[in-house]
Each structure stands twice: as structure tokens, then as C-alpha cells.
Amino acid sequence: MKRPGEMVAGVHVVVDGAGPPVVLYGGLGGNWFDWDDVAALLADSCLVIRIDRPGYGLSPASSTPPTARGEAERIVAVLDALGCTAPAVVVGHSLGGIYAEAFARLFPQRTGGVMLLDATITLRPHRVIPTRWRVATGRWVARASSRLGLQRLLGPTVRAVLNQSTPPGGITYETRQWVARIYREPAYLESSVVENASYPALAEEIAALRAAVTMPVPILVAAAHTGHRTPWGWEWVRRQRQFAERLGAAFRVVQPARHHAMIDQPGQVAALIRELAS
């Protein structure tokens, strides 16, 4: 299949539309096509930039674990390579919220606003096992799974279990083809495992940035809720609201939506992004 974007600053980037820049940064294992419907809704008024982190989408894998500063600098490098000098609204989904927030705190002059979409809550970071041990173990498990053929056999099935969100118009044939290809890549599995293993260090890094740098731009926390009256669902919304209060952020609920709210409710998510970009 034809590559939908281009290689920019060493990673795969998909650019749509024109106007104020909006960067869409996915969560753990996120790919550019998770944002297809949101990008289509924003492209008439915004320059929408979707970045595949190393090992995800069509980006080559990295030999080093991710850091919050490193990903913030990656966003800057992509914006510079695209010639974007206007402040960008950065949207971070799930674990990607750490990188979006780091970008805003480290590069406030490049930031027009931040949206944390069902973001990983990192108010009380703690680390027991050293990150290098976690990463080394994760790499071994991922490579063993690939050698045994489990990645190729089960990759798309794992996607279906972990991401049960469905676009309003249904999952397209093209997206199904990309899922079948990317989720079977050994580099994709290893990159996901390494990023997950790096989470405690990432949480500590963003906590240190919060202590050192105030948030100088508008920030919005948006929580996904299925609409069902389950204790866990409302507890998640409550924790997200507390997260917003600690960050001094506005708060919204996107519903009915699962964790990948940008897939379930692209209209609501796009509308919230427009508020920050306007």
C-alpha cells in the first residue's frame, strides 16, 4: 500500500489541511490512522500533523527508550522541518499526554495550547525496578514472541482486544489492511513493550518538569466515558477531573466513548481541539 505521509525528521508524518498547526500525538502503540476522522474534520481550518513515534506506524524503530524531553524535541524537529513557526496546539492521547505536556513546559513559545485526551494520570510517580531492567526484559519477551511467530499470528487480534473503539462510519478496508500489516511487525511489538517499560521513568520526568516549570499555556483535560453507570467508569472521570484541577486545566467529558475517544467520537474531540486552536 502507498505510504500515506512522508518521512520528516526521521519519523513518518502525515500532514493535512492548512491553518494554525495542530499536532496529534498518540498513546502507547498509537498510529496515524487512529486519528483519521479527527484529522478530516480539522483539515478545513487547521494544519493537522500526525506523528508516528519510532517503531509505530511507518516510523523506523529506535534503539533507545523514549524520554519526555526527547519526544518534545522530536515534535519541535518535525515542526521546524515543516516550516511551522506559529504556536501549535498539541493533543496527547493516553501516554502521549506526557509528551504533549512536556512539549508545552519545555517550549512554551512554540505552544498554542495542550489537550490531554483520556491521558495517563501521573500525579504520584514511583519506580521500584530500574528502567534499564524493565526495558531489557521487555525487549527479550518481545523478541522471543516474534521468533515464536506469536506476533505475526496474534498481532491484529491483540489490537481488537485492546482497542475496541469504532469510527462512526465503521472501520475502513484500508485501515484494516494497515492494522494487519503494522501489528504484525516485530519492531512494533518491541517498541510498544519498551515504551510501556519506560513509563515509571517518564512519569518521574514529567513530575520534575511540573515542579520546575509552570504551565504557561491553556490546557484542557478530556476524559472518555462510555455512558454506562459503572463504578469504575465514574471513578475514572473523577480521577481525570482531579488531574485537571492539579494542572489548573479546563475539564470536559467525551461520551459515549471508550479509551480511544478520538475514534469513537471524532466530532466531539475535533470540536474541543478547535476551541484551543481558535
Side-chain angles (χ1 to χ4, degrees), residues 47 51 140 152 220:
L47 181 70
I51 302 172
W140 183 87
R152 185 158 190 81
L220 169 66

Side-chain angles (χ1 to χ4, degrees), residues 3-278:
R3 183 190 296 272
E6 57 185 319
M7 295 301 293
V8 179
V11 288
H12 178 243
V13 177
V14 181
V15 181
D16 299 285
V22 173
V23 176
L24 304 178
Y25 228 54
L28 179 67
N31 303 283
W32 86 89
F33 48 77
D34 296 330
W35 300 93
D36 276 350
D37 288 349
V38 170
L41 291 170
L42 292 174
D44 63 342
S45 59
C46 299
L47 181 70
V48 186
I49 303 164
R50 291 177 274 173
I51 302 172
D52 284 333
R53 292 196 294 285
Y56 297 162
L58 297 178
S59 290
S62 173
S63 60
T64 59
T67 65
R69 178 177 289 274
E71 291 307 315
E73 291 173 346
R74 189 186 313 281
I75 295 172
V76 171
V78 169
L79 292 173
D80 286 346
L82 294 175
C84 294
T85 57
V89 169
V90 183
V91 183
H93 171 247
S94 193
L95 186 63
I98 291 177
Y99 307 133
E101 186 182 344
F103 173 81
R105 292 187 186 276
L106 291 169
F107 303 100
Q109 73 281 5
R110 305 294 298 269
T111 312
V114 176
M115 178 174 169
L116 305 181
L117 178 60
D118 222 40
T120 301
I121 297 173
T122 51
L123 294 177
R124 298 181 181 86
H126 63 279
R127 177 168 31 169
V128 177
I129 302 173
T131 300
R132 66 181 183 279
W133 294 359
R134 291 167 57 93
V135 168
T137 301
R139 286 195 193 280
W140 183 87
V141 170
R143 291 173 182 178
S145 297
S146 295
R147 285 195 298 269
L148 291 171
L150 297 178
Q151 171 70 6
R152 185 158 190 81
L153 177 65
L154 300 175
T157 302
V158 171
R159 149 85 180 198
V161 171
L162 297 180
N163 183 350
Q164 299 180 17
S165 294
T166 304
I171 302 173
T172 66
Y173 173 78
E174 184 178 29
T175 296
R176 292 184 189 278
Q177 292 295 101
W178 283 119
V179 168
R181 170 178 166 180
I182 290 170
Y183 278 75
R184 288 189 169 105
E185 290 288 341
Y188 177 81
L189 173 61
E190 185 170 332
S191 298
S192 300
V193 171
V194 167
E195 187 169 42
N196 185 61
S198 302
Y199 166 72
L202 293 170
E204 289 182 351
E205 190 179 357
I206 195 63
L209 277 175
R210 287 181 190 137
V213 184
T214 58
M215 179 62 79
V217 298
I219 181 169
L220 169 66
V221 171
H225 188 264
T226 61
H228 301 305
R229 294 184 177 278
T230 59
W232 163 246
W234 287 114
E235 173 62 16
W236 176 246
V237 170
R238 184 188 68 81
R239 292 176 60 200
Q240 286 278 314
R241 189 187 300 275
Q242 288 183 336
F243 185 43
E245 291 172 354
R246 288 284 296 274
L247 296 179
F251 179 72
R252 301 285 189 277
V253 176
V254 178
Q255 65 176 340
R258 299 174 182 84
H259 181 52
H260 292 78
M262 66 281 202
I263 298 177
D264 285 321
Q265 295 292 346
Q268 291 183 40
V269 172
L272 293 175
I273 295 171
R274 285 183 192 276
E275 286 184 22
L276 284 172
S278 62

